[in-house]
Amino acid sequence: MKSLLPILAAFLLSACTGASLRGTGDMGIVIERASGSVAVVDSSTKSILGRIEGLGDLSHASAVYSRDGRYAYVFGRDGGLTKVDLLERRIARRIIQAGNSIGGAISQDGRLVAAQNYQPGGVKVFDADTLELLADIPATYGDGGQRSKVVGLADVPGNKFAFALFDAGEIWVADLSRPREPKVTKFRNIGNQPYDGLVTPDGRHYMAGLFGEDGIALVDLWKPEQGARKILANYGKGVEKLPVFKMPHLRGWAVAGGRAYLPAIGKHEVLVVDTASWQEVGRIPVKGQPVFVMARPDGRQIWVNFAFPDYSHVQVIDTLEQKVVQSLSPGKAVLHMEFTPRGENVWISARDDNRVVVYDTASFSKLTELPAQNPSGIFFTSRAARIGF
Amino acid sequence: MNCRPYINHIPDRAVAALFLCLLAPAAAPAADPSPERTRELVRMVRQDCGSCHGLTLKGGLGPPLLPETLREKPAESLRYTVLLGRPGTPMPPWNAFMTEAEADWIVQQLMAGFPEETR
């Protein structure tokens, strides 16, 4: 009997730790917009593991991941920055860092988390461990008295962050290799009202979509001395613009097979650009004003959702055929889509139907539906390893 | 009378839809919208206007739509902003999705403090 005890103890111990030990590679969060909570999900079992509450106003919230995939940093509209622990399913830290915020990014080395703010306009940089404020970069422009809303914040190689100034028409690249002493490079007169930005998957090009005029501002981060240039200028030439009831997003992996797929503004089209020449090579008519234009991780498909009033639909473009091959109606008010790390499934949030719908991307069949309170953004931990996410 | 034009492509059909609305006899009374329509309008303002103005209407890409920020502004011009949008800015026209009376009601509610969604 005596000799059995250690074995029993060892067995119990391993049973306990065995139950709690797991990786986070197939985990993620779903933002529950109105209730200020996030659902922690498992994309292998396609299930909700639990909920974390108390994150404040999560309208328009977004999230980035620590590089170990354990913590999500959730940026809320009320300026809250919440670090949540996916494994212990609790809030690890939470601060209110601004009056009105729109999103954020994590640095290449994973040590800095940056938030982009509308009010007061600028970027704040925090220590990823402690959320201590390290740098404050006000988005001042003109004679210095005004501050612009900041959009399109993205991490770029070299522990830098790129972002655009909506009111000023500028792109800034802040070098935070010394976190308390940011060095900012400014690109001025890049175009009228940049509304969002995107860095290409290789981290080389930063693009800001323009709302106030046709075109996209492009900076080659390998050759910053060349300045910003405008691509796709005049894509809507001579055609009356349709109203845009929701701002499109450029974030997301919209670069596939040497082509970038971008939402047109005020046109129900996806614009296709060759990423070697940056010339337009096509336009694909779609159902409405595109909001998210996201490539499946293998680049074979592009999934598109739409602004009000067409927001109950999702369309799929086949990149070989360069046309829409599937239209789906996942539910009312589709706000976001997220692919599983290798793209066999896509999770889609339908806000007004209070559900997340999971599809097989090869057969387009619906695999399951999960209940969620006004779900908006869906963020999987695979983002932790990608530039620009 | 529930007058709710729902259209996919704006200019021509939108104008037609708006027109139909205005012609429908009980479409645009000065009275408050029906309870069902009220719920829809509240949801629309909180969620769809909220995508630019914030769910709490404290502002986002668009300015705050709170009593203290709207107080000084003439209701008439705010109503036209809602119906026709502001060209040159991201504020789009909503006349395809609401009647003039409904726009008036929204502006009134915004100036008084907009109701929360009931769930």
Side-chain angles (χ1 to χ4, degrees), chain A residues 229-300:
Chain A
R229 66 172 157 135
K230 210 170 293 170
I231 60 169
L232 292 177
N234 305 319
Y235 66 75
K237 205 174 182 141
V239 186
E240 178 95 35
K241 277 200 176 146
L242 300 170
V244 176
F245 294 101
K246 181 177 179 175
M247 279 297 187
H249 286 269
L250 290 179
R251 336 214 88 206
W253 205 270
V255 179
R259 293 174 160 192
Y261 295 79
L262 303 159
I265 292 276
K267 288 172 93 48
H268 297 176
E269 288 175 347
V270 170
L271 307 173
V272 190
V273 190
D274 182 305
T275 56
S277 65
W278 296 106
Q279 296 296 313
E280 179 182 328
V281 291
R283 292 177 187 199
I284 302 169
V286 289
K287 186 153 185 62
Q289 167 66 53
V291 174
F292 281 102
V293 176
M294 301 176 84
R296 196 172 68 176
D298 66 347
R300 178 63 197 270

Side-chain angles (χ1 to χ4, degrees), chain A residues 33-35 57-60 77-78 100 118 149 151 166 193 195 211-212 240-247 268 286-288 308-313 332-333 335 351-352 354 373-374, chain B residues 5-11 14 40 43-44 46-64 82 86 88-97 117 119:
Chain A
R33 185 168 153 132
S35 56
D57 176 5
L58 292 181
S59 53
H60 218 124
R77 196 20 110 50
D78 58 358
N100 197 322
Y118 277 167
K149 299 184 200 76
V151 298
F166 175 82
Q193 295 175 328
Y195 66 88
F211 183 85
E240 178 95 35
K241 277 200 176 146
L242 300 170
V244 176
F245 294 101
K246 181 177 179 175
M247 279 297 187
H268 297 176
V286 289
K287 186 153 185 62
F308 176 91
D310 298 304
Y311 60 1
S312 298
H313 304 278
K332 183 146 188 248
L335 293 192
R351 182 193 68 203
D352 289 3
N354 292 310
Q373 276 292 314
N374 289 184
Chain B
Y6 190 83
I7 43 105
N8 292 331
H9 296 288
I10 307 305
E40 283 173 2
R43 177 158 202 108
M44 180 179 182
R46 289 269 166 208
Q47 302 289 342
D48 298 312
C49 311
S51 81
C52 286
H53 293 281
L55 234 152
T56 53
L57 303 174
K58 285 188 203 145
L61 192 69
V82 176
R86 287 217 182 127
T89 80
M91 176 62 190
W94 293 86
N95 57 10
F97 308 103
E117 270 188 81
R119 52 185 74 249

